Amino acid sequence: KASVTVKDGNKILKEGMDYELEWKWNTQPGQGIVTIIGIGSYSGYSKHYFIIVPAKAKIANARNSFAGAIRIEAKKQEGVSGYQYAWRMKGKTWAKVSYNRNVRIVKNLKKGKTYQVKVRTYKKINGKNWYGKWSDVKSVKVKK
């Protein structure tokens, strides 16, 4: 649930005394709605939209796949549109690719080198990708 503050001018109103909150679509990544409904001395309502970004991703497994490739498996998350994978040799720039599945094989890597990998999830809302936090970084040595 998003944090909600309701004011009448400079006066901060109290939930349960001056207004009630009605939540909709607020349990999965995506767009949620909170409706503020006046009670007591207040009447009427106001709808407000907010974005729920995916939770921090976790790597379930990162290992060699075959010579020159590694397999990255993200822990599945419900309600996401896809996963973004990133890899690099330590100290280099991250390479990234988005994919709609929680498993990705990264090819054409330098054999015998160690790569750092990470993953995050995203939810597409109204044509825009909203990203969760990156997973912790794991290291994988590529087969020769």
Side-chain angles (χ1 to χ4, degrees):
K1 292 184 178 178
S3 175
V4 176
T5 302
V6 180
K7 293 182 178 182
D8 180 4
N10 290 329
K11 179 184 175 189
I12 297 176
L13 303 182
K14 294 182 182 175
E15 184 179 358
M17 184 181 292
D18 300 316
Y19 66 91
E20 294 176 343
L21 298 176
E22 188 176 278
W23 300 91
K24 188 173 182 182
W25 303 329
N26 67 322
T27 59
Q28 295 289 328
Q31 183 171 288
I33 301 173
V34 60
T35 303
I36 303 165
I37 304 164
I39 58 174
S41 300
Y42 296 91
S43 62
Y45 69 93
S46 179
K47 283 188 179 187
H48 300 271
Y49 298 87
F50 58 95
I51 300 296
I52 302 170
V53 297
K56 180 179 176 177
K58 292 182 181 177
I59 294 176
N61 195 347
R63 61 180 172 80
N64 285 294
S65 182
F66 50 85
I70 55 177
R71 181 182 186 273
I72 307 167
E73 180 182 353
K75 186 175 178 186
K76 280 190 178 183
Q77 280 191 33
E78 294 296 319
V80 299
S81 301
Y83 301 81
Q84 187 175 56
Y85 300 88
W87 62 94
R88 71 175 182 183
M89 283 192 287
K90 193 170 185 175
K92 302 289 183 180
T93 303
W94 290 99
K96 297 177 196 161
V97 65
S98 295
Y99 195 56
N100 62 355
R101 294 186 53 213
N102 72 311
V103 177
R104 179 72 182 186
I105 294 176
V106 181
K107 302 175 186 176
N108 301 319
L109 301 177
K110 291 185 179 181
K111 297 173 185 173
K113 297 292 182 181
T114 299
Y115 282 79
Q116 295 178 312
V117 298
K118 62 183 180 178
V119 64
R120 66 181 175 177
T121 54
Y122 65 91
K123 177 71 176 182
K124 184 171 274 219
I125 303 166
N126 298 326
K128 181 179 177 185
N129 289 339
W130 292 85
Y131 293 93
K133 291 184 178 184
W134 286 105
S135 67
D136 294 335
V137 174
K138 300 251 181 180
S139 293
V140 180
K141 188 169 183 177
V142 178
K143 281 184 183 179
K144 292 182 179 184

